[in-house]
Amino acid sequence: VRWGVAFLKPVTWLAASLTAGILLADWIRPHPALPLAGLFFLLPVCLRWPRAAAGAALLCGVLLQSAHGTLGPGTLDRWAGETVRAVGRAEDAAEKRFALQVTEVDGTPARGRLSVYVRSGDLPPEGAAVAVRGRLSEFRGALRMTAAGIEVLRAPGLRPAAKLRALLDRTMRAGLPPHEAALLAGLLFGSREQLPPAWVDSFKRAGVYHVLAASGSNVRMILVVPLFLLARFDRRLGVLLVIPLALLYWALTAGEPSISRATVMVTIALLGTAIGRAADPLASLSAAVLLLLALDPGLLRNIGFQLSVGATAGILLLTGPLQKWLQERCRLPALLAVPVAVTLAAQAGAEPLMLYHFGQTSPVAPVANLPVGWILTFLVPAGCILLIPAILFPALLVLIKPGLWLLVRTVDLFAAIPGAFLYLPPLPWYGVLLWYGAMLLAVSPAIRLHRPAAAVVAAMALLSWSVAYAAPSGVLRVTFLDVGQGDAILLQAPDGSAMLIDAGPATEDGYDAGDRVVLPALRRAGVSRLHYAVLTHGHLDHAGGLPAVLQAMAPAAFWDAGGHQHPLPLGGRRPRAGEVLRLGGARVEVLGPPVVPLQGSRSDLNANSIVLRISYGETVFLLTGDLEPEGEEALLRSGQNLRADVLKVAHHGSPFSSTAPFLAAVRPRIAVISTGPNRFGHPGGDALGRLRSAGAAVYRTDLHGHVTVEGDGRRLRVRTARRPAPAPGTPLLRRPLVGAW
Ligand SMILES: [Zn+2]
Ligand SMILES: [Zn+2]
């Protein structure tokens, strides 16, 4: 059998197997003993049949990742919402904040990066070991903390690269206005802090955001000048002098994943040149992936790393054929065909990942990347060269200002084109695989008719989209979104109509669940149009995220129980109890609030929540907002049918709600609690006990992530984004074989 991909070197297979192993481990989260046992049996086989090494690499991936999950330091997310004492190294100090490279939280080893805001007092010296007290909160995927107290544990250690980087950062801030300094730091070293949001937005819209994240091509642009100079003397000596320079640059970017990838590749290529052997670029990309993932399997989750590898693979596989096609068929001159081919190839390699993770695409990107690339070819080396004398004379950096201005204007120009940037339903994971399969097929000369085959597979990748999203599902899907402490529930009717019930919290430290969780989840679920939005009551943990959602997606109708804690851009109608609505085959019945509002309860806003009973075929959902005992009692008194298979537990599982008589009337089989880190003690122990004794299987968004319940009219199926892991610190021997972390 000829596989037609014989041009792939063994190291590429090993890298792919290791990657697959890490992904597999993430999926089944096995006890490390499982892959260890597998390796024990497979290694002797490898000695006999070297090809079994791919299987061994897969098991190594599983082993590495599961060892990481069970023995490695916990990540910071665990403590989100809690007040903690975090210990780590202070870095990147600027104005009123610094970054803390965390090593320990409340005495437990932990790892992660934290933005620390300092309201008053001095910033700690960079590189110092410090302990910071404060509440950890999540904002736009990053963790941050406002320091209530800072204690310097140890003076700055000897970390020459960090010191040099701090010096260069100070130089850039001294020589340029703040925004330009932040932009230059992004272009040269990949730091994305302090960039004005409008610029970040433009770079994203134009599809050139990668240049702000220190793309791997920086390494080439920076080394080109020294390589050229040194090559004039002695090739080998030059090569050996340039490798340390590449490593220095890597250290200055604090190990940015795309730079790590590029540094390993460049080092392999340079060493190859030194011993007179040309390195195969695809093999050195594979070696870089193999090495970096073996050192840190967690890197695979880093989207920057994924995009960097994807784009590089695209360039290595497709540039040649594309260039040939552009020159021969489109009659482009070589001067233009080469950069166009490189940009298109990089785009082809990165696009499926962009679509999978963000559901975003920027159709102007292939064009925008050309002028941006040309500007950077001058700007990056010039910036590096200028930065050295600028340490003494910061004013010299003025020379680079026109270049930065030109870059921003160019990007703005492309970002302003209508349709420059589109949201699409995210590509499913099998679509990503098919896409890369098509890329490989397109360049596999050993297979007959490989081009038509590639076209067929590419068409399948595009088709996987419609399979996943376009077709009416025929099921009623209710997703309880993990928005932290609050509620946000997406209801997708069998014909695709969508209703959103609440949109999660907005907190004073800038977290907006609408922007951060609800809108991405809507896009991921393929919802491009909201037929109904419902606000059960005006508390901020339900209404906070709504303005962002209403702004992005104006719903056809908006139900609102009133009593807002902050203004909404759109007034809604208060539905009457007894009102019934047909939503694509599902029946939505309004059970509350009562016509005469309840008064004098624990919280009248909660007591008068909108309560919905949704039935589809034989299956029934009951959504109870933030009802407390008075509200539940009023529902019981109203004599309405409360029986339901799935109960959205009232008031985040508060100990006062979910009273025994109410649960006896509902008799839920599945109970979903929407909650997150909070100071109210939700969910309360006795409420959980009552739910369990009522016979309900309990799901919690704080433990399970998004909880999706699907009903085909007869049967129900529950899917959760996470499986609750054993508590951190559970001894290895007491962990289950599957789902061990
Ligand atoms: Zn609430
Ligand atoms: Zn409430």
Side-chain angles (χ1 to χ4, degrees):
V1 181
R2 296 196 60 186
W3 283 94
V5 279
F7 66 97
L8 296 181
K9 299 278 189 305
V11 64
T12 304
W13 289 109
L14 292 181
S17 300
L18 189 81
T19 306
I22 295 171
L23 292 173
L24 188 68
D26 268 338
W27 188 38
I28 55 176
R29 300 192 307 199
H31 194 287
L34 280 182
L36 207 57
L39 277 173
F40 181 77
F41 289 108
L42 196 58
L43 282 180
V45 180
C46 290
L47 294 179
R48 183 85 173 71
W49 291 288
R51 287 196 174 190
L58 183 117
L59 285 175
C60 283
V62 179
L63 179 64
L64 279 169
Q65 184 68 342
S66 58
H68 200 70
T70 46
L71 306 170
T75 55
L76 291 180
D77 313 11
R78 271 182 56 198
W79 288 279
E82 291 178 31
T83 300
V84 296
R85 179 177 186 268
V87 176
R89 191 176 39 233
E91 290 175 356
D92 289 347
E95 283 182 70
K96 286 195 153 313
R97 65 174 175 182
F98 64 95
L100 187 71
Q101 205 64 46
V102 178
T103 52
E104 190 187 302
V105 175
D106 285 345
T108 311
R111 190 167 61 170
R113 195 176 161 86
L114 188 65
S115 275
V116 182
Y117 289 75
V118 186
R119 285 232 175 89
S120 57
D122 290 336
L123 291 172
E126 295 197 47
V130 293
V132 193
R133 260 184 316 107
R135 183 170 166 272
L136 267 185
S137 58
E138 202 200 344
F139 179 59
R140 289 185 180 275
L143 283 160
R144 57 185 217 171
M145 173 194 269
T146 303
I150 300 177
E151 184 191 339
V152 175
L153 303 175
R154 205 165 356 93
L158 273 177
R159 284 228 317 162
K163 277 187 178 169
L164 180 55
R165 172 65 195 280
L167 176 66
L168 295 176
D169 281 344
R170 277 199 301 277
T171 305
M172 286 185 276
R173 285 199 296 270
L176 288 168
H179 289 172
E180 277 79 1
L183 178 60
L184 187 60
L187 296 177
L188 297 186
F189 303 117
S191 75
R192 270 141 291 180
E193 282 157 37
Q194 310 215 319
L195 276 166
W199 288 9
V200 173
D201 194 52
S202 284
F203 276 77
K204 277 192 179 150
R205 291 180 62 87
V208 294
Y209 182 68
H210 56 98
V211 305
L212 293 181
S215 84
S217 55
N218 274 14
V219 175
R220 185 170 39 83
M221 292 193 272
I222 286 169
L223 294 185
V224 133
V225 178
L227 259 184
F228 175 75
L229 291 178
L230 289 168
R232 299 184 58 127
F233 301 103
D234 179 338
R235 239 182 132 74
R236 286 187 196 185
L237 181 71
V239 157
L240 290 174
L241 283 174
V242 170
I243 290 177
L245 205 58
L247 290 175
L248 171 68
Y249 179 61
W250 171 79
L252 285 177
T253 64
E256 230 2 94
S258 54
I259 303 295
S260 304
R261 194 267 311 147
T263 306
V264 176
M265 284 183 70
V266 161
T267 308
I268 293 174
L270 290 177
L271 286 176
T273 317
I275 58 169
R277 274 187 58 181
D280 171 12
L282 198 59
S284 44
L285 171 65
S286 309
V289 170
L290 199 63
L291 178 73
L292 292 171
L293 288 184
L295 290 174
D296 178 11
L299 198 58
L300 191 57
R301 283 219 199 121
N302 184 302
I303 297 176
F305 177 76
Q306 296 177 8
L307 289 171
S308 170
V309 173
T312 311
I315 291 174
L316 298 180
L317 288 173
L318 298 180
T319 303
L322 275 174
Q323 185 195 340
K324 202 168 148 213
W325 180 73
L326 286 169
Q327 277 179 292
E328 289 175 4
R329 294 286 176 84
C330 308
R331 308 235 162 256
L332 275 189
L335 199 65
L336 205 57
V338 176
V340 171
V342 170
T343 327
L344 283 175
Q347 183 89 0
E351 193 69 9
L353 294 166
M354 288 297 289
L355 287 172
Y356 171 77
H357 287 293
F358 308 112
Q360 301 172 347
T361 183
S362 162
V364 297
V367 190
N369 271 291
L370 284 178
V372 166
W374 286 322
I375 296 174
L376 288 182
T377 308
F378 293 101
L379 205 53
V380 169
C384 283
I385 293 168
L386 263 181
L387 210 47
I388 299 163
I391 293 173
L392 294 177
F393 311 103
L396 277 175
L397 286 178
V398 169
L399 293 173
I400 206 148
K401 253 177 97 177
L404 294 172
W405 178 87
L406 184 66
L407 176 69
V408 173
R409 286 297 149 279
T410 311
V411 172
D412 276 344
L413 202 68
F414 282 101
I417 296 175
F421 182 76
L422 300 173
Y423 280 112
L424 296 167
L427 192 64
W429 62 268
Y430 46 87
V432 178
L433 284 186
L434 286 168
W435 188 307
Y436 286 120
M439 267 170 57
L440 270 182
L441 266 178
V443 293
S444 308
I447 287 190
R448 272 189 57 206
L449 297 178
H450 67 105
R451 290 256 160 82
V456 169
V457 177
M460 279 162 65
L462 295 178
L463 215 61
S464 70
W465 241 327
S466 50
V467 172
Y469 300 102
S473 59
V475 297
L476 174 70
R477 182 182 300 142
V478 181
T479 309
F480 303 86
L481 298 171
D482 175 16
V483 287
Q485 177 69 4
D487 271 14
I489 302 158
L490 172 65
L491 200 142
Q492 289 172 277
D495 73 338
S497 338
M499 176 187 255
L500 180 73
I501 300 134
D502 294 340
T507 61
E508 69 251 343
D509 51 14
Y511 167 71
D512 182 330
D515 219 23
R516 279 271 300 127
V517 183
V518 179
L519 282 174
L522 289 178
R523 290 187 188 112
R524 185 154 280 271
V527 174
S528 53
R529 207 170 96 79
L530 270 184
H531 298 76
Y532 282 86
V534 179
L535 177 59
T536 58
H537 67 294
H539 277 146
L540 260 184
D541 56 330
H542 301 247
L546 206 52
V549 177
L550 292 182
Q551 202 180 27
M553 270 182 207
F558 177 38
W559 284 357
D560 176 7
H564 304 134
Q565 284 184 329
H566 79 137
L568 284 176
L570 158 70
R573 181 173 77 80
R574 183 186 167 95
R576 289 186 318 277
E579 213 171 301
V580 174
L581 167 86
R582 286 259 154 217
L583 190 74
R587 188 182 132 97
V588 181
E589 202 184 332
V590 181
L591 304 190
V595 181
V596 183
L598 291 173
Q599 280 182 337
S601 62
R602 293 174 53 87
S603 154
D604 287 349
L605 219 49
N606 284 348
N608 292 296
S609 292
I610 293 178
V611 178
L612 300 177
R613 186 172 184 269
I614 299 131
S615 36
Y616 178 55
E618 297 163 17
T619 48
V620 183
F621 295 72
L622 182 62
L623 312 178
T624 53
D626 269 3
L627 289 191
E628 291 188 87
E630 300 89 347
E632 294 186 348
E633 211 174 287
L635 270 184
L636 284 170
R637 271 203 314 271
S638 73
Q640 301 178 95
N641 182 6
L642 301 181
R643 163 81 197 101
D645 304 283
V646 183
L647 172 68
K648 199 296 290 185
V649 175
H651 202 199
H652 321 290
S654 144
F656 302 104
S657 304
S658 310
T659 54
F662 183 74
L663 293 182
V666 180
R667 297 199 312 280
R669 288 191 287 138
I670 294 164
V672 183
I673 301 178
S674 188
T675 186
N678 68 81
R679 56 194 161 85
F680 313 106
H682 297 164
D686 14 356
L688 285 172
R690 287 194 295 273
L691 285 165
R692 291 215 182 86
S693 33
V698 177
Y699 293 89
R700 298 168 47 168
T701 57
D702 60 337
L703 300 179
H704 294 93
H706 299 333
V707 177
T708 307
V709 186
E710 278 178 354
D712 61 0
R714 296 187 55 209
R715 275 163 313 172
L716 289 171
R717 201 164 72 107
V718 183
R719 278 182 296 135
T720 61
R722 289 199 297 270
R723 274 161 300 172
T730 307
L732 212 48
L733 285 176
R734 304 238 314 260
R735 290 177 191 242
L737 280 180
V738 169
W741 36 284

